[in-house]
Amino acid sequence: MNQNSYDVIILGAGSVGVPTAFFLSKSGVKTLVIEERSSIGQASNKAAIGGIRATHSDPSKAWLCQRSLQIFSTWKEQYGDEIEWKKGGYVYAVYREEDKTTLNNLLIRQKAWKMNIDWLSPNDLLSVIPDLNAEGLLGGTYSPDDGHASPLLSLFASYKHAREQDCEFHFNETVTGFTKQNGKISGIQTNKDNYSASIIVNAAGAWSGELGKLAGMNIPIIPESHEAGITEPVQTFMHPMIVDIRPMGITSNFYFYQHATGQVLFCYSPEPPIHGFDRQVTSDFLPTAAKRLLELIPRLQSVRVRRTWRGLYPMTPDGSPFLGFVPEMPGMMLATGMCGQGFMLGPGVGELITAAITGSLDDVQQEILQNLSLSRSISQIEMLK
Ligand SMILES: Cc1cc2nc3c(=O)[nH]c(=O)nc-3n(C[C@H](O)[C@H](O)[C@H](O)COP(=O)(O)OP(=O)(O)OC[C@H]3O[C@@H](n4cnc5c(N)ncnc54)[C@H](O)[C@@H]3O)c2cc1C
């Protein structure tokens, strides 16, 4: 067999490409991953702050993240690697009546999907987060089974086990084109070589739309710039990720948590969204984020910020990913459009893509692939993207 011939080639070694490589190689599929950066996770994965929740408004996204939660939370006992998983839960803290109504309406659906999530009164919420600002607090949702982990350690763990299963990774190599035979994708070209495979997985995140164009297809992915920051480590004083969905000034939602190793990580979504590939940090971010952080947890006022950074969300028009084969382009598989949830979706998506490629999909997985196909009609927008 030609040494440049594989069963599957994955484009991109990020939050999605690496766990997908892990599950494929574990199933005995001969897999090559092509990555233009010098190692795994150097694009959006290392920008992620590590939140993992199943509490979405889209049922397919919720199901995939439930699978991811099972994988993250049992990783250490199953595979032996420390990924700094902590079951700290998620809290949506509410200070406005309209947010109370929105989240309580969503709660009805989330409970119907058998999620462990509840509405807590202000007093009950304060017993979960004693340092939360009580002034004007109306309560909030609490999902104790959600949590967080280290994006870098998690990706490295998948990478290590994929390598042990003979998965190949080529770094510093850029995909520049696709090869077609009889109307079917049969391989790729890079700046270094040509490779053939019967299936190509586009897991190039914010850049997957550009790669789609090289294959002659339109994948509506909009790169969106988001910044984050991290403080020095301090003694543990709070456990859940806290999300505040109030729009304020140049921000929409704001979210933060204290990592298992003591640092507080924080992010906000800019309003209006900033589209494009710009990853330069701004001077707006820190003063704006610090104000929101101190308003919610005044106790943080003397904690020092160590670093800020900026990365990209690969956004889709409805806030849900594009997954699965593309009937109009045989041989092409999509695993992209993760929006602000690619780290938490990664393992669940990797497992699903592997089942689709190895022909072992169950009924639920088949339905998810239908719901998240590129050709779906955009009817509902994910609320918590
Ligand atoms: C500030 C911030 C905070 C976030 N917080 C969270 C969070 O708490 N939880 C969460 O789940 N998500 C979070 N996210 C979102 C998450 O980071 C992304 O959704 C996720 O990383 C996308 O994964 P991906 O695999 O699709 O893309 P990436 O991880 O970016 O991987 C794509 C890879 O493709 C490679 N590539 C692109 N073009 C080519 C080419 N032509 N040839 C070869 N390789 C190519 C890139 O170099 C890259 O390595 C956050 C994002 C940001 C910016």
Side-chain angles (χ1 to χ4, degrees), residues 10-19 34-37 39-53 65 90 151 155 170 173-176 190 202-208 210-211 214 224-229 241 255 257 266-268 279 309-314 335-346:
I10 298 174
L11 315 183
S15 305
V16 172
V18 177
I34 300 280
E35 170 55 55
E36 71 177 339
R37 290 179 164 81
S39 66
I40 55 162
Q42 293 303 307
S44 301
N45 183 75
K46 76 172 179 188
I49 66 167
I52 306 164
R53 65 180 161 94
C65 282
Y90 258 67
L155 211 65
H170 289 192
E173 191 163 343
T174 303
V175 179
T176 54
T190 73
N202 182 347
W207 297 267
S208 50
E210 307 299 305
L211 280 181
L214 292 178
E224 210 177 88
S225 289
H226 286 249
E227 282 177 87
M241 173 80 81
Y255 56 105
Y257 76 101
F266 51 95
C267 277
Y268 65 70
R279 299 205 294 156
W309 63 89
R310 195 177 190 193
L312 303 175
Y313 281 15
T336 186
M338 303 297 144
C339 307
Q341 290 85 39
F343 169 60
M344 64 182 85
L345 281 161

Side-chain angles (χ1 to χ4, degrees), residues 113-169:
W113 303 329
K114 305 209 178 333
M115 287 187 174
N116 184 10
I117 180 167
D118 264 309
W119 177 262
L120 299 191
S121 68
N123 277 346
D124 288 345
L125 202 55
L126 289 168
S127 68
V128 177
I129 316 163
D131 292 294
L132 188 64
N133 189 349
E135 202 186 323
L137 182 66
L138 301 177
T141 59
Y142 178 43
S143 47
D145 295 339
D146 293 336
H148 49 262
S150 158
L152 287 170
L153 290 179
S154 304
L155 211 65
F156 185 74
S158 286
Y159 169 66
K160 186 179 98 179
H161 294 290
R163 288 283 306 275
E164 283 164 7
Q165 283 144 177
D166 295 328
C167 181
E168 281 183 46
F169 285 79

